[in-house]
Amino acid sequence: MSAEPVLSVRDLVVEIPTRGGLLRPVDRVSYDIGAGEILGVVGESGAGKSMTGNAVIGLLDRPARITSGEIWLNGERIDQLSMRELRKRRGKQIGMVFQDPLTSLNPLIPIGQQLTETIREHLPVTAAEARQRAIRSLEEVGIPAAAERIDSYPFEFSGGMRQRVVIALALCAEPSLVIADEPTTALDVSVQAQIIALLKRLCRERGTAVMLVTHDMGVIAETADRVAVMYAGRLAELGPVREVLTEPHHPYTSGLMGSTPLASKGQPRLHQIPGSMPRLGALPDGCAFNPRCPKAQDKCRQNPEPRIGPADPRAACWFPLGETA
Amino acid sequence: MSLVSIQNLTRVFDVSKPWLNRVIERLPKRYLTAVSDVSFDIPAKTTYALVGESGSGKSTIGKMVVGLLPPSEGGVTINGIDLAIETDDDKIESVRSDIQMIFQDPYASLNPRWRVRDIIQEPVVARGGKATGLAERLLEQVGLTASDADKFPHEFSGGQRQRICVARALASEPKLIVCDEPTSALDVSVQAQVLNLMSDLKDEFGLTYLFISHDLTVVQHMADRIGVLYLGRLVEEASPDALFDAPQHPYTQMLLEAAPRMDGFGREVEPPKGEIPDPIDPPSGCAFHPRCPMAVAKCSAERPALKTVGESRVACWVAQGDT
């Protein structure tokens, strides 16, 4: 990892004003991603995983907006840029891979044209050069007979092949950061393995920083270098993937790991976390996890949990597991 | 005796273009074989799981078992009665009320305009039964409260809705519940709650489950016996221990190898080759042979039948030692 992180997020807050009051889907989240590093972001639905990714590339839907915090990309602050300025950076500096490959490609335009358009928008090349580059990037993501298939439409490809095209599209302008939001959730296991292997290889070869948003702990374990666990819009735990998954410090991470069928192998019942994640409009006082936490004490009910960042302790918890008895 | 017996079940869908297009473009009729010659038994009070990737025919089998789709060939016998050919109305009625189904998407499978009480009581009321207090009792059984009966589905979270679906499935006191991806739409922690609930209810009511899923870890946890489907055919059937410790069919091996592991830190998998072939025009012989690392000449020429090898049943020439 280089000294200067590619992406640096500090105390990011996203708020949505509603009739019922102000909601905070992302609440003071801080993390770094270095070059060539894959940061996994996990959490259950509504934990704010996708919202953090969308905030970074400025794709928040109104009325959601960033109300405080800083986002630095390659040493430049990007959270206050205008839409026009940000647009130049999307694609060029940040690539995006979404969950559903069919909705992220224009169904009416051949894939080659979508690729060359993106390339020419960001790089000073001629149409012929752009086409050559497009073919090369399709070959790189493993599309057979790329030169012949470049003029095909998205519907002529299978789901896995489409996701490869989307990855080619995200990487064609050689961005330094890729945000992959549930890139394999819509795919079958065997195709998922292909796409994950592809993403890992390309990022290693180019030193691209990747933010991988997913709910699948298995994918995170195999792919990510570090992992950020989110709960109710806040960072619950942040650290190297092996340590976080094998020796979680936050009771939520521990509960989440325990409730996967694999962890309870050979036991008749799965471990379960009581209750469900609170709605953003009805967060409990103190630590957001305290009503479900087996170790909650008065301090947890009265004080908001400590916030964590790249340099701080690993778990946002007053009584982290593994440290105090 | 087996509660459910499935014999040579086959389902073919007509996917031809409309007749006018066929006439103008001189196209032949096209058929998609979604399920082909599948046979297995489910003993009472056990869980039989079907796994496979999309297009393997697992949901089609589920629909034929509950009678939502008629089979093209073969049949499903439940308690000795084949719903597709039985003519005695009383017998059909008695078997029908023994079968219930739980669907994948708890947002789509509950009527948003009905109160939870009406949703849960419907399987009983529709048959003219009395349902006083039934919904309240079942709601408590699935971990909700009796007062939830007056609410509407939108007032519940995904996991709670799936509990309501389970309560509805239990209302007619069925023997068999077909669960089509019951936890795929749920988060991990909620999935654990619903799976635990299903295991508890199975013990309490002596239920039999046909459990359809693409998630190998869930299947390993829930099933007593697992059938692996590929392109509409059963390629391997074994107990969870045998299947996960020593998979015999190369496709099962590939699936297990490709599934992400929680302890697979930095694991470099050799990703599987190729994709699922077009089911309208499947490969000759064993449908898996174009992707199979062990394929021999016989695999592309002849289709292997499902044969007993050790404790399992496998449809593979190499595993059967017959090359």
Side-chain angles (χ1 to χ4, degrees):
Chain A
M1 208 202 303
S2 63
E4 176 86 355
V6 173
L7 176 74
S8 182
V9 175
R10 286 288 170 276
D11 286 323
L12 180 71
V13 178
V14 174
E15 288 182 331
I16 307 177
T18 66
R19 251 182 294 174
L22 208 56
L23 303 182
R24 280 194 170 184
V26 179
D27 191 355
R28 289 172 55 199
V29 166
S30 308
Y31 56 84
D32 290 337
I33 311 180
E37 188 188 32
I38 301 181
L39 175 78
V41 181
V42 276
E44 300 180 86
S45 3
K49 323 184 280 293
S50 300
M51 201 65 113
T52 339
N54 289 347
V56 169
I57 54 167
L59 281 184
L60 289 176
D61 288 324
R62 289 176 66 86
R65 62 202 167 88
I66 299 173
T67 49
S68 73
E70 298 172 7
I71 303 171
W72 295 79
L73 180 69
N74 295 323
E76 181 195 21
R77 190 165 173 188
I78 58 166
D79 55 298
Q80 291 174 326
L81 294 176
S82 66
M83 279 320 261
R84 244 177 102 145
E85 285 292 309
L86 205 55
R87 203 193 141 132
K88 282 190 202 154
R89 282 159 186 82
R90 281 203 286 262
K92 174 87 183 100
Q93 291 186 27
I94 315 177
M96 194 79 199
V97 179
F98 293 101
Q99 173 171 351
D100 185 353
L102 197 53
T103 48
S104 35
L105 293 170
N106 187 332
L108 300 176
I109 300 176
I111 56 155
Q113 197 180 328
Q114 300 189 40
L115 279 162
T116 46
E117 207 172 79
T118 313
I119 294 169
R120 296 199 68 193
E121 173 80 30
H122 298 294
L123 302 171
V125 291
T126 64
E129 279 168 6
R131 195 176 160 85
Q132 282 311 311
R133 263 176 176 268
I135 293 174
R136 233 184 9 256
S137 59
L138 286 177
E139 278 166 357
E140 238 179 340
V141 296
I143 289 183
E148 289 144 47
R149 303 208 66 182
I150 186 164
D151 292 317
S152 308
Y153 289 88
F155 75 86
E156 296 175 81
F157 292 86
S158 68
M161 285 296 159
R162 263 183 228 139
Q163 197 62 301
R164 286 169 195 263
V165 173
V166 174
I167 291 176
L169 201 55
L171 292 174
C172 64
E174 311 204 329
S176 47
L177 172 72
V178 169
I179 299 179
D181 191 351
E182 305 264 10
T184 59
T185 307
L187 306 173
D188 278 318
V189 188
S190 62
V191 182
Q192 163 170 299
Q194 295 170 348
I195 297 293
I196 292 288
L198 174 71
L199 210 56
K200 268 164 93 171
R201 178 173 62 82
L202 290 178
C203 294
R204 194 179 312 134
E205 284 171 8
R206 302 178 175 196
T208 314
V210 181
M211 178 172 165
L212 177 70
V213 177
T214 178
H215 67 278
D216 190 327
M217 302 294 257
V219 170
I220 289 283
E222 290 195 356
T223 316
D225 300 306
R226 286 190 308 136
V227 59
V229 183
M230 290 193 71
Y231 184 79
R234 306 165 188 192
L235 268 189
E237 190 159 358
L238 177 69
V241 67
R242 184 187 291 267
E243 290 163 33
V244 171
L245 296 198
T246 50
E247 281 172 37
H249 283 185
H250 197 288
Y252 174 65
T253 321
S254 158
L256 200 59
M257 294 300 297
S259 52
T260 56
L262 217 60
S264 319
K265 200 176 169 185
Q267 291 164 21
R269 285 176 65 85
L270 296 167
H271 171 81
Q272 57 183 59
I273 312 175
S276 55
M277 191 157 70
R279 281 180 298 116
L280 288 172
L283 287 180
D285 288 335
C287 169
F289 188 60
N290 86 69
R292 303 174 72 189
C293 181
K295 299 182 70 187
Q297 301 181 20
D298 284 344
K299 188 177 184 185
C300 308
R301 289 183 262 275
Q302 285 150 10
N303 304 297
E305 69 272 24
R307 291 311 161 91
I308 51 169
D312 305 326
R314 217 173 80 191
C317 180
W318 291 116
F319 306 102
L321 306 167
E323 282 183 12
T324 49
Chain B
M1 197 195 102
S2 300
L3 178 70
V4 183
S5 174
I6 290 171
Q7 290 303 324
N8 308 97
L9 195 64
T10 301
R11 173 72 207 194
V12 179
F13 291 104
D14 186 346
V15 290
S16 315
K17 286 195 169 174
W19 70 269
L20 190 58
N21 295 54
R22 287 207 310 274
V23 171
I24 295 169
E25 297 166 37
R26 293 170 188 266
L27 293 170
K29 278 205 146 200
R30 302 208 303 163
Y31 297 98
L32 185 153
T33 309
V35 177
S36 174
D37 201 13
V38 168
S39 306
F40 60 88
D41 290 338
I42 312 177
K45 299 180 187 170
T46 62
T47 302
Y48 190 97
L50 286 174
V51 276
E53 299 183 276
S54 35
S56 62
K58 41 191 199 309
S59 294
T60 311
I61 294 180
K63 283 183 185 162
M64 286 193 283
V65 169
V66 295
L68 286 175
L69 268 180
S72 305
E73 270 171 60
V76 180
T77 319
I78 296 164
N79 253 344
I81 296 164
D82 186 339
L83 282 179
I85 54 170
E86 183 62 48
T87 47
D88 184 342
D89 282 349
D90 291 342
K91 278 189 180 169
I92 290 180
E93 198 57 17
S94 77
V95 173
R96 277 261 166 91
S97 61
D98 280 347
I99 320 168
Q100 282 294 336
M101 189 155 182
I102 299 170
F103 296 91
Q104 172 172 359
D105 184 355
Y107 291 84
S109 56
L110 297 173
N111 188 332
R113 292 171 184 272
W114 281 25
R115 288 184 196 277
V116 168
R117 173 180 293 110
D118 300 323
I119 292 173
I120 294 178
Q121 289 174 348
E122 199 197 7
V124 175
V125 174
R127 289 203 169 76
K130 266 180 70 74
T132 324
L134 176 73
E136 285 80 358
R137 206 183 70 235
L138 284 168
L139 280 171
E140 300 212 324
Q141 216 136 26
V142 298
L144 298 170
T145 56
S147 57
D148 289 333
D150 288 315
K151 294 184 182 166
F152 287 97
H154 74 257
E155 296 174 64
F156 297 89
S157 68
Q160 290 172 324
R161 283 171 195 231
Q162 204 59 304
R163 286 171 191 265
I164 295 172
C165 293
V166 173
R168 172 177 61 186
L170 291 172
S172 66
E173 296 176 3
K175 294 199 181 80
L176 171 73
I177 299 186
V178 176
C179 321
D180 191 353
E181 305 264 14
T183 59
S184 302
L186 306 177
D187 280 316
V188 200
S189 70
V190 182
Q191 165 173 290
Q193 296 172 357
V194 172
L195 291 179
N196 279 343
L197 172 70
M198 289 177 63
S199 318
D200 293 346
L201 293 172
K202 182 186 162 210
D203 297 339
E204 200 175 328
F205 294 96
L207 297 171
T208 306
Y209 288 130
L210 174 60
F211 196 96
I212 297 164
S213 179
H214 69 280
D215 188 332
L216 292 161
T217 55
V218 170
V219 162
Q220 183 179 19
H221 179 76
M222 292 295 285
D224 296 306
R225 199 141 179 96
I226 301 173
V228 182
L229 289 164
Y230 186 71
L231 272 184
R233 284 174 188 276
L234 212 50
V235 294
E236 181 164 0
E237 189 203 70
S239 67
D241 290 342
L243 192 82
F244 284 86
D245 294 341
Q248 306 217 29
H249 197 284
Y251 175 65
T252 319
Q253 291 166 4
M254 188 205 85
L255 265 191
L256 292 179
E257 188 56 32
R261 289 188 204 149
M262 305 270 290
D263 55 357
F265 301 112
R267 190 169 72 111
E268 296 290 331
V269 267
E270 180 60 33
K273 281 183 292 179
E275 296 185 19
I276 301 177
D278 182 4
I280 296 172
D281 183 20
S284 64
C286 169
F288 189 59
H289 84 262
R291 302 172 73 188
C292 182
M294 305 201 268
V296 293
K298 192 174 183 180
C299 298
S300 54
E302 264 182 90
R303 179 162 38 230
L306 200 62
K307 280 191 187 150
T308 306
V309 177
E311 294 276 288
S312 323
R313 291 199 296 160
V314 194
C316 172
W317 292 121
V318 179
Q320 290 167 5
D322 183 11
T323 52

